[in-house]
Amino acid sequence: MTSTVRRAGAFAAVGTLAFVVPVAAGLASPAVATVAATAPFLAVAFFAMFAIGPDTPMFDVFARPGDYEDGRLYGLAAFALAAASLAFLAIQFDLPVWVCVATIITVAYGNFGQRLAHRLHSDEVVATAGFVVAGFACGTAAAVIAARTGAGSVAPATALFLAGTGALVAALFRSVLFERDDPLVVLSVGLLLWLLFELDPAAGTRRVFIALGVSAVLGYVAYALDTASLPGMLTGVLLSLLTIVLGGYGWFAMLITFFGLGGLSTKYQYEAKQDRGIAEENEGARGSGNVLANSIVALVAVLLWAASPSHIAVDPTLFLYAFAGAVAAAMTDTFSSEFGGLYDNPRLITTFERVEPGTDGGVTWQGIVAGLVGAGIIAGIAAATLEVVGPTGAALIVGCGFVGMTVDSVLGATVEGTVVGNQGVNTLATLAAALTGVALALAASLV
């Protein structure tokens, strides 16, 4: 079998065919342009499936372990077909050509960078960093080159932001999926970057660089302190990047406070929590599922903020309170469970009967107080960093946190474990808090 580095280099070479797309896009006939843009990748897929036999040297260059079983280069064919699909979208629809090229190059060369980094150091974090750095650098360069080839113009800040986002999303997907699922990664990243491009982020180059640097440093610190697993770290870094660029520094301050203090609260008296059977798994390191469950509503709020009022006729301030409410709810839930679980005699929120510590839906007055303190921290940060949030807005955010904490406990006592899992309960609780933020902001005429 060939080395993984050599195979990754061969796939990167195939990915380089993406630079045919901007050339083809300049052809007068859309039909001819489509054929010219997709033909190289379709040819690769055809040869991978029908012309390159298992006894040929070329097969050994591209074959993944699973390909040897059937004697066909399924991995190469699928990657080429995914690239051809993006090329088709770029010619026939509104997917920017340079986004198509940057996506394919990011995944292909990111994989090559990961294999090189793994060859130098076997640590998983180092290998993933190799993917992100190589994918980001090559994706940015590919976007600029494709645009200058005649595929339209791209602002440097936009190229940096989308390439960084694409590299992080691709690395995250590859860490939670099978690494051979490059076709799914290519298509998912391409569609996401298309969406972000349509939002037309107005952040300058300086903010994008700050966002990339700060997010990367804080993500690594979280991983080094074992407050997040590798997928959890990638998820947190991605969310931080999107929040800074699309929302702003005040939004990021709220989010990173939750990540930081929430992670540390999980570590607080961890052995005592283990003895009580209420400790988080994996030594308290939160995975991508946990991070997303607590942050997905806030992320949607950021995206809607960026889309308003240009794309949706809604006052963007509503989405600010939805974001702050969701983060406050995540903080209250984390604080109330991590601190409140250390105290005896919890009571079930629906019946007030005494239950064992760690029982879903069980609450203590100490936990409620801790949760309100957490909501107060988020509200204070919002008031200090965002002019639109005054004393009334801060009180509103605390109320959202309380609503989210209560909904989480009620759902834990009634449907958790039967209808939805813990992560589903967390998502629903933050959603309830976000909707409460929107309703209270409207009622208080804060928009």
Side-chain angles (χ1 to χ4, degrees):
M1 294 185 183
T2 190
S3 71
T4 56
V5 175
R6 184 183 177 188
R7 184 188 309 121
F11 270 80
V14 172
T16 307
L17 293 173
F19 287 107
V20 173
V21 180
V23 176
L27 299 176
S29 170
V32 174
T34 301
V35 173
T38 59
F41 291 113
L42 294 176
V44 170
F46 175 83
F47 278 99
M49 290 298 294
F50 305 110
I52 303 177
D55 298 327
T56 63
M58 190 62 68
F59 184 93
D60 192 51
V61 170
F62 286 100
R64 291 171 172 172
D67 294 335
Y68 285 95
E69 298 177 6
D70 298 318
R72 292 183 184 274
L73 296 174
Y74 289 118
L76 176 60
F79 173 75
L81 289 174
S85 298
L86 285 187
F88 176 80
L89 292 175
I91 301 299
Q92 291 292 331
F93 297 92
D94 294 327
L95 172 65
V97 171
W98 63 265
V99 170
C100 165
V101 176
T103 298
I104 297 170
I105 294 298
T106 295
V107 176
Y109 280 83
N111 183 42
F112 184 56
Q114 181 179 22
R115 297 306 178 189
L116 280 176
H118 189 268
R119 173 67 64 85
L120 298 174
H121 199 295
S122 60
D123 185 82
E124 185 181 12
V125 176
V126 174
T128 302
F131 183 99
V132 174
V133 172
F136 168 62
C138 295
T140 302
V144 174
I145 294 172
R148 291 183 176 179
T149 304
S153 61
V154 54
T158 302
L160 290 167
F161 170 54
L162 293 187
T165 301
L168 287 169
V169 171
L172 174 61
F173 283 179
R174 286 169 59 86
S175 69
V176 298
L177 301 171
F178 293 110
E179 288 194 356
R180 64 180 299 172
D181 287 339
D182 279 339
L184 178 60
V185 174
V186 168
L187 292 174
S188 299
V189 171
L191 294 176
L192 174 62
L193 297 189
W194 190 1
L195 168 64
L196 294 177
F197 172 80
E198 291 297 328
L199 293 180
D200 190 23
T205 305
R206 180 180 178 183
R207 182 193 280 189
V208 172
F209 269 122
I210 291 174
L212 290 167
V214 170
S215 300
V217 170
L218 293 176
Y220 180 77
V221 169
Y223 182 79
L225 294 176
D226 288 332
T227 58
S229 64
L230 177 58
M233 179 195 71
L234 290 171
T235 303
V237 170
L238 174 63
L239 292 175
S240 298
L241 172 63
L242 293 175
T243 301
I244 293 176
V245 174
L246 298 180
Y249 297 116
W251 297 56
F252 172 70
M254 288 186 277
L255 184 67
I256 199 60
T257 298
F258 161 64
F259 284 156
L261 295 184
L264 292 176
S265 69
T266 303
K267 292 289 188 179
Y268 178 72
Q269 294 193 18
Y270 188 78
E271 292 183 358
K273 294 173 185 175
Q274 281 185 315
D275 294 338
R276 286 174 169 258
I278 61 172
E280 290 283 341
E281 299 178 352
N282 302 320
E283 297 296 323
R286 297 179 179 269
S288 58
N290 186 284
V291 174
L292 276 176
N294 284 289
S295 308
I296 188 64
V297 174
L299 174 60
V300 172
V302 171
L303 294 174
L304 292 175
W305 159 276
S308 62
S310 58
H311 292 73
I312 52 177
V314 177
D315 191 315
T317 306
L318 288 175
F319 300 121
L320 166 60
Y321 282 105
F323 176 90
V327 175
M331 182 73 107
T332 56
D333 173 51
T334 301
F335 270 30
S336 63
S337 59
E338 295 298 340
F339 293 118
L342 293 169
Y343 293 90
D344 296 323
N345 302 319
R347 294 181 179 273
L348 197 66
I349 193 171
T350 52
T351 63
F352 298 105
E353 63 179 303
R354 294 185 185 276
V355 293
E356 292 295 322
T359 301
D360 293 333
V363 299
T364 62
W365 70 265
Q366 295 94 338
I368 294 174
V369 171
L372 291 175
V373 170
I377 293 173
I378 299 299
I381 291 173
T385 58
L386 300 169
E387 293 183 3
V388 70
V389 179
T392 302
L396 182 156
I397 294 170
V398 173
C400 291
F402 179 75
V403 169
M405 177 174 58
T406 303
V407 169
D408 187 279
S409 298
V410 171
L411 292 176
T414 55
V415 299
E416 184 172 350
T418 56
V419 179
V420 293
N422 177 257
Q423 294 178 0
V425 168
N426 290 341
T427 302
L428 291 173
T430 55
L431 176 60
L435 294 176
T436 299
V438 171
L440 292 180
L442 286 171
S445 299
L446 295 177
V447 297

